[in-house]
Amino acid sequence: MSQARPLEGRSALVTGGGRGIGAAVARSLVEAGAAVTVSARSKDQIEAVATELREQGHQAFAVACDVAQPDQVQALYDEAKRLMGKVDILVNNAGIAASAPLARETLEQWNRIFAVNVTGVFLCSRAAIGDMVSEGWGRIVNVASVAGKAGAPYISTYVASKHAVVGFTRAVATEVAKKGVTVNAVCPGYVDTEMSDQTVGTITGKTGMAEKEARAVLENMSPQGRIFTSEEVAAQVLHLCMPLSAGVNGQSLVLDGGGFQA
Ligand code: NDP
């Protein structure tokens, strides 16, 4: 293990790794020396990320999976293990968002968001935890949201799902605390990805605001008056995976410019 490549010899699985935050996380993990398998449903996107990383000389693979499907998650974990030899780091990043006032929220949307954001985290973590405990080393990082720490209007389902992720993180962290495994979450505010573009689209559609104005609504959610970058989130994920972060466990690290303080 060198200073420049502190994760040399480690292998990581990143869900939702085809674009946005997950792709940035994959890039930062390989830069730190880890092998990485990126996963999502869109094969073309994960193949593009894995190809980009391989062309830079890194060890990278792509395996398609819907994290809401138990059989697919087990197959993903088995394939990642076959390709990389082991999975030391799991980044549960795959997630979806949608908005509606509670009175108009549908059971279908509630179930779908929970299936991906919560059940997906459970299934992937369950698949990986046994080997991490046997190895005596492991890192699970869950990409929650500042919506996992505080409420906000029109996104009650998303907020509930991310609070569930934070609660799950805390519980599993205590369960494996003596086993060399840490489980943490990162909780970003709005990040410049397709997911936020979708939110901007919803605001313009519902209010008639111009796109720039709608974007300013998201920017002003943060005291820093800005939307964050995927690279900023990836830097926090990487920090939690570092060997010297072994004592950080069960935490939910907020990255929102200071809006939520606890
Ligand atoms: P994107 O929509 O850009 O990317 C989401 C990724 O998750 C894609 O690779 C997508 O690929 C994958 N994904 C979605 N559904 C599934 C599924 N069922 N199975 C497997 N993969 C899936 O979003 P972001 O990068 O912005 O979001 C990443 C995470 O960060 C999410 O958990 C989100 O909740 C969280 N977050 C995002 C914030 C933001 O403002 N953008 C703020 C705070 C948290 P595919 O559709 O091909 O499966």
Side-chain angles (χ1 to χ4, degrees):
M1 182 187 80
S2 73
Q3 284 285 82
R5 292 168 64 83
L7 297 180
E8 187 89 63
R10 299 291 178 197
S11 299
L13 171 58
V14 181
T15 69
R19 60 175 189 261
I21 294 169
V25 166
R27 289 184 188 106
S28 73
L29 289 171
V30 293
E31 287 293 331
V36 74
T37 296
V38 286
S39 184
R41 292 165 305 170
S42 308
K43 266 194 172 155
D44 53 335
Q45 295 189 349
I46 51 173
E47 289 292 353
V49 172
T51 302
E52 170 203 316
L53 301 180
R54 275 198 301 269
E55 282 173 359
Q56 293 164 0
H58 303 297
Q59 219 190 329
F61 307 94
V63 180
C65 170
D66 179 342
V67 295
Q69 301 298 327
D71 294 351
Q72 290 188 32
V73 170
Q74 194 54 54
L76 163 65
Y77 184 73
D78 294 345
E79 183 61 4
K81 234 173 111 172
R82 191 187 70 75
L83 290 164
M84 302 189 294
K86 57 187 178 149
V87 176
D88 305 297
I89 297 166
L90 169 66
V91 182
N92 282 311
N93 164 77
I96 54 172
S99 61
L102 176 57
R104 287 212 295 275
E105 180 63 301
T106 65
L107 180 58
E108 288 71 25
Q109 185 157 288
W110 170 276
N111 285 339
R112 184 67 198 145
I113 289 177
F114 266 73
V116 179
N117 294 6
V118 186
T119 307
V121 172
F122 153 67
L123 291 171
C124 293
S125 304
R126 188 181 63 173
I129 199 79
D131 287 340
M132 288 182 180
V133 166
S134 306
E135 283 278 326
W137 199 96
R139 296 280 186 272
I140 297 178
V141 182
N142 299 322
V143 181
S145 164
V146 74
K149 306 286 268 188
Y154 311 124
I155 52 168
S156 56
T157 304
Y158 184 73
V159 165
S161 76
K162 293 299 188 179
H163 273 68
V165 171
V166 167
F168 180 79
T169 302
R170 290 176 171 152
V172 182
T174 60
E175 199 172 309
V176 295
K178 288 200 167 67
K179 308 291 183 187
V181 179
T182 67
V183 187
N184 291 289
V186 291
C187 297
Y190 281 103
V191 182
D192 195 6
T193 67
E194 280 184 29
M195 188 179 275
S196 294
D197 293 344
Q198 193 188 315
T199 307
V200 168
T202 305
I203 296 172
T204 55
K206 298 257 185 243
T207 65
M209 271 182 200
E211 194 183 318
K212 201 170 167 213
E213 241 183 305
R215 225 180 138 75
V217 171
L218 303 194
E219 287 165 359
N220 290 328
M221 299 266 182
S222 167
Q224 291 184 343
R226 67 187 184 99
I227 295 177
F228 300 89
T229 66
S230 292
E231 288 69 29
E232 288 179 276
V233 182
Q236 296 311 314
V237 173
L238 181 63
H239 161 69
L240 292 168
C241 295
M242 287 296 178
L244 282 175
S245 296
V248 182
N249 193 27
Q251 302 305 307
S252 316
L253 192 66
V254 176
L255 194 172
D256 74 341
F260 180 88
Q261 299 179 348

